[in-house]
Amino acid sequence: MTVPAAAADSGRRSAFRDRARRFLRHPTGMIGMVIIVFFITVSLLAPVIRPYDAARDRNLRARLTPPNAEYIFGTDELGRDIFTRVLHGGRISLRVGVIAVGVAVVIGTLLGLFAGFFGGWIDTIAVWLIDILLAFPGILLAIAIVATLGPSLTNALIAISITQIPVYMRLTRSVVLSIKESEYVQSARALGAARNRLIFRHVLPNSLSPIIVQLTLSIGVAILDVAALGFLGLGAQPPNPEWGLMIRDGFAQFVRAPWLSIFPGIAIFLSVVGFNLLGDAVRDVLDPRLRNL
Amino acid sequence: MTGYIVRRLLGLIPVLFGVTLLIFAITRVIPGDPAVAMLGQRSSPELRERLRADLGLDRPLWFNVEQASETGSIGALFDSQYFDYMGGLLSGDLGRSIYTRIPVRESLSNRFPATLELTLIAMFFAVLIGVPAGVWAALRRGSLADTAVMTIALSGVSFPVFWLAIILIYIFAVNLGWFPPSGRLTPGIPLQPITGLYLLDSLLRGNFTAAWDVLRHLILPAIALGTIPLAIVVRMTRSSMLEVLGQDYVRTARAKGLGERSVVNKHALRNALLPVVTVIGLSFGTLLSGAILTETVFSWPGIGRWVYDAIAMRDYPVIQGGVLFVAFLFVLVNLLVDLTYSLIDPRIQYS
């Protein structure tokens, strides 16, 4: 508390600079970053590169054309250009992935923060909730939720978000439990800091590193989940150019027209690789102890 | 130790209770009429009413206060959807499929062996390749080979399972014709099931034609399903090996002049495998949820394919039963992994 503001500020800045430098020197992390920036740019520019209109998007004279100079990814049974659809599918997958994870991070982190900080019966209930939600492996809970709510992209987003909440609850709670007993929090408490100040000024900022690492990796998982639900017919509905749904459509005739499934799959794979590479790099930079994991 | 096991088993009760409560809440409390969801928007009101009565949806959700106050008996209070559902569960009754009228429990026991067999083979594939690859990478830490293995492992967790399955079929079944594209056994090959695990059954019966056929059917789906666990096992083995290789007892073994092979296999690997065992156990959940996607693509007659079909048909009792079964199984396997772990590692305290 007695450290002059300017000194504390410069300390923080050099720590940040140090991390940024380590990140920039991380080869696979930079590859991941490039992939993600590429996908984001292409998704943002999609309406400029290839305008898309679901209603007019068909050309029955060019049905099931294999990839060629005009249709570089080929066309489907309605003569729709796969390239255009993959391009616009990125807008869906990235948006849903980021929103689902974002909602889960905010809710899960707050719940985990309070559970860890207050302890007692609040914590008991929180742990119970975490255990219940984590009893459903992978996308099983999401499937159960969407199967009941009815298949749609919004419901898929809600379901994926719910399955990610316990991950952040557990993570934040465990970090808070260890930080709560640390000397700097104890001394802030002894100095009479208010509870809100303790939580949001001292405990939360110091739990951020593992949350940020998890967040990057979660977006990849969420993109895979959106696609899986789409493939099962539980996510985006036709004629939405969602990647998983496109693979579902292509699956019916993949012997005759494999390009229908191949290109959306590569798009999913690359975007998820991007987030996983970035997540690994962020972990190395923020939490060097975990480097080997 | 016994006390520890009992304590852990008792600890499962609130979790499993919560799981049943959550499934009930998802299917009944969430706004929306299941009858409309099942029959569609344009169905006739009479038909919906009949289905509602058939499924017991016309009764109160939690407590039947109305009937209890009319008849004056406390027992009537529990004539509700929730107590009906819990009563059924406790007596092992998971309801019937709306369409086939087959009891859910019966289908589960018929189909589970297919899923179990696929899961076990996928796990076997993951361990058989994952552990050596992880050790190999760890021994060459920082080298190009290490980076290559780790990059491949990272790509492994980034594959959409269903897409990988389709690509495998396209290359190895359709184009090369090495493996059959779907099913468990070529129709016409006789096999009397014993356990329901076809590979085991055919070997027990000494029917090697069938065993070969079953194996050929298993390979592609097992690779598709096992890729993600494989990648996880590689990463875990590598990091665990790296940690162990830096320990004093490994240095001692080296100082004693033991050969590199002996140091790695006898001293390092044995200790490094502990966390790997945990990871393998925990990937069981990944495999079970991945089975829904893999079985769908390969027309594999297991629980995953069954749940998928039920989703398309909106067969709620089947979806509920299948999801509940997998969640219970997952919780039990996790407990087993924990217990095994504490058995192998004497440092863990049973408290």
Side-chain angles (χ1 to χ4, degrees):
Chain A
M1 298 293 137
T2 52
V3 180
D9 206 40
S10 90
R12 210 172 295 153
R13 212 179 304 150
S14 81
F16 174 77
R17 217 178 288 155
D18 180 50
R19 284 172 178 175
R21 203 181 308 125
R22 260 191 287 163
F23 180 75
L24 290 175
R25 280 209 213 111
H26 199 290
T28 50
M30 286 315 290
I31 297 175
M33 196 69 195
V34 168
I35 295 176
I36 295 170
V37 169
F38 170 78
F39 269 91
I40 293 175
T41 316
V42 165
S43 296
L44 288 176
L45 294 179
V48 186
I49 306 172
R50 286 288 177 98
Y52 176 75
D53 177 0
R56 286 189 305 145
D57 172 39
R58 56 193 59 192
N59 176 7
L60 291 177
R61 251 172 296 172
R63 292 171 61 191
L64 292 176
T65 314
N68 61 23
E70 192 188 352
Y71 302 105
I72 56 171
F73 289 177
T75 64
D76 66 8
E77 74 281 5
L78 294 172
R80 296 181 294 193
D81 179 25
I82 298 297
F83 177 67
T84 312
R85 289 174 62 78
V86 168
L87 215 57
H88 286 262
R91 297 168 70 84
I92 300 175
S93 290
L94 292 179
R95 199 172 55 212
V96 173
V98 170
I99 294 176
V101 172
V103 172
V105 170
V106 173
I107 297 177
T109 304
L110 284 178
L111 290 178
L113 199 59
F114 292 133
F117 192 82
F118 292 110
W121 62 271
I122 298 182
D123 190 41
T124 309
I125 292 180
V127 171
W128 186 56
L129 264 180
I130 294 171
D131 283 344
I132 293 171
L133 289 172
L134 290 180
F136 299 89
I139 57 165
L140 197 69
L141 182 61
I143 288 177
I145 295 172
V146 186
T148 311
L149 287 178
S152 82
L153 194 58
T154 316
N155 291 343
L157 190 154
I158 295 171
I160 291 167
S161 205
I162 291 176
T163 59
Q164 300 235 3
I165 287 175
V167 175
Y168 290 95
M169 274 178 82
R170 191 172 59 169
L171 186 67
T172 316
R173 177 183 170 272
S174 69
V175 176
V176 169
L177 284 182
S178 65
I179 290 178
K180 197 166 76 167
E181 301 309 322
S182 65
E183 280 169 10
Y184 65 89
V185 172
Q186 290 296 340
S187 50
R189 198 197 290 256
L191 285 170
R195 200 155 59 188
N196 284 350
R197 190 184 161 81
L198 269 178
I199 296 181
F200 289 104
R201 179 82 199 201
H202 295 287
V203 177
L204 182 63
N206 286 295
S207 359
L208 279 182
S209 285
I211 296 173
I212 292 173
V213 172
Q214 183 61 45
L215 188 144
T216 329
L217 296 170
S218 290
I219 295 178
V221 174
I223 291 178
L224 282 177
D225 286 353
V226 176
L229 289 177
F231 178 73
L232 290 172
L234 289 172
Q237 297 297 307
N240 235 323
E242 194 274 319
W243 291 334
L245 180 63
M246 288 175 74
I247 298 178
R248 176 188 174 84
D249 292 342
F251 178 47
Q253 43 198 342
F254 75 96
V255 175
R256 218 165 26 128
W259 59 87
L260 297 185
S261 326
I262 288 177
F263 293 107
I266 291 175
I268 299 172
F269 172 69
L270 282 180
S271 56
V272 176
V273 164
F275 281 104
N276 283 342
L277 286 173
L278 183 70
D280 265 17
V282 172
R283 171 164 51 201
D284 289 352
V285 170
L286 292 184
D287 201 346
R289 282 166 304 162
L290 299 173
R291 188 161 295 170
N292 290 327
L293 286 179
Chain B
M1 184 70 197
T2 321
Y4 175 69
I5 296 177
V6 171
R7 228 175 9 251
R8 290 297 310 268
L9 280 173
L10 287 178
L12 282 190
I13 295 174
V15 175
L16 294 181
F17 167 72
V19 167
T20 59
L21 194 64
L22 182 63
I23 297 266
F24 178 79
I26 287 176
T27 46
R28 312 284 170 91
V29 183
I30 283 173
D33 185 348
V36 177
M38 280 181 240
L39 295 168
Q41 293 288 348
R42 275 176 240 162
S43 56
S44 76
E46 299 85 55
L47 204 61
R48 285 184 206 164
E49 208 48 57
R50 216 165 66 204
L51 183 65
R52 244 179 251 139
D54 196 31
L55 295 173
L57 298 176
D58 51 352
R59 285 180 298 158
L61 273 178
W62 306 102
F63 293 104
N64 204 335
V65 181
E66 200 181 317
Q67 200 182 322
S69 56
E70 267 174 29
T71 58
S73 83
I74 297 173
L77 203 57
F78 303 110
D79 182 22
S80 66
Q81 291 186 44
Y82 178 70
F83 286 97
D84 215 34
Y85 160 84
M86 279 310 284
L89 278 186
L90 289 175
S91 59
D93 178 11
L94 291 165
R96 286 162 182 277
S97 157
I98 296 173
Y99 297 95
T100 61
R101 305 302 296 165
I102 300 172
V104 169
R105 199 173 68 168
E106 196 182 309
S107 305
L108 268 176
S109 55
N110 284 340
R111 285 172 166 269
F112 180 58
T115 302
L116 183 66
E117 180 168 50
L118 177 57
T119 308
L120 289 177
I121 300 290
M123 195 93 88
F124 180 71
F125 162 76
V127 173
L128 193 72
I129 298 182
V131 171
V135 172
W136 194 74
L139 294 177
R140 285 159 189 77
R141 183 184 193 176
S143 71
L144 198 64
D146 179 28
T147 313
V149 169
M150 293 311 286
T151 310
I152 295 172
L154 190 113
S155 328
V157 290
S158 313
F159 275 120
V161 176
F162 52 96
W163 180 73
L164 184 64
I166 296 174
I167 300 296
L168 285 175
I169 296 180
Y170 186 71
I171 298 174
F172 295 103
V174 176
N175 279 338
L176 296 172
W178 292 354
F179 303 103
S182 62
R184 274 183 96 185
L185 186 67
T186 307
I189 293 185
L191 178 63
Q192 280 292 318
I194 309 170
T195 57
L197 305 174
Y198 282 5
L199 193 59
L200 187 65
D201 290 351
S202 53
L203 291 174
L204 284 176
R205 296 222 182 259
N207 184 345
F208 295 107
T209 329
W212 176 240
D213 188 67
V214 170
L215 194 63
R216 276 166 40 95
H217 279 89
L218 267 167
I219 287 175
L220 290 184
I223 292 177
L225 188 56
T227 299
I228 290 178
L230 166 65
I232 297 173
V233 168
V234 170
R235 286 164 71 98
M236 196 67 214
T237 309
R238 176 182 174 273
S239 71
S240 177
M241 251 332 245
L242 283 179
E243 203 190 314
V244 170
L245 284 174
Q247 297 286 328
D248 287 342
Y249 57 82
V250 172
R251 206 173 309 142
T252 311
R254 284 221 170 95
K256 279 198 300 188
L258 288 182
E260 184 65 19
R261 183 180 292 265
S262 165
V263 170
V264 170
N265 289 337
K266 283 210 183 124
H267 293 78
L269 184 58
R270 273 198 199 176
N271 289 293
L273 280 182
L274 263 173
V276 178
V277 170
T278 317
V279 161
I280 293 169
L282 295 180
S283 1
F284 194 68
T286 317
L287 288 170
L288 282 176
S289 67
I292 296 186
L293 298 161
T294 318
E295 290 182 3
T296 299
V297 176
F298 285 97
S299 299
W300 191 264
I303 291 179
R305 173 82 203 192
W306 178 60
V307 169
Y308 171 76
D309 289 339
I311 291 170
M313 311 261 291
R314 298 185 161 270
D315 196 340
Y316 284 77
V318 171
I319 302 174
Q320 276 174 46
V323 170
L324 202 60
F325 176 77
V326 172
F328 268 52
L329 199 64
F330 184 50
V331 170
L332 288 177
V333 169
N334 282 355
L335 177 69
L336 277 180
V337 171
D338 267 13
L339 293 179
T340 321
Y341 195 81
S342 52
L343 271 179
I344 309 178
D345 192 343
R347 281 170 302 186
I348 290 171
Q349 298 291 317
Y350 310 125
S351 55

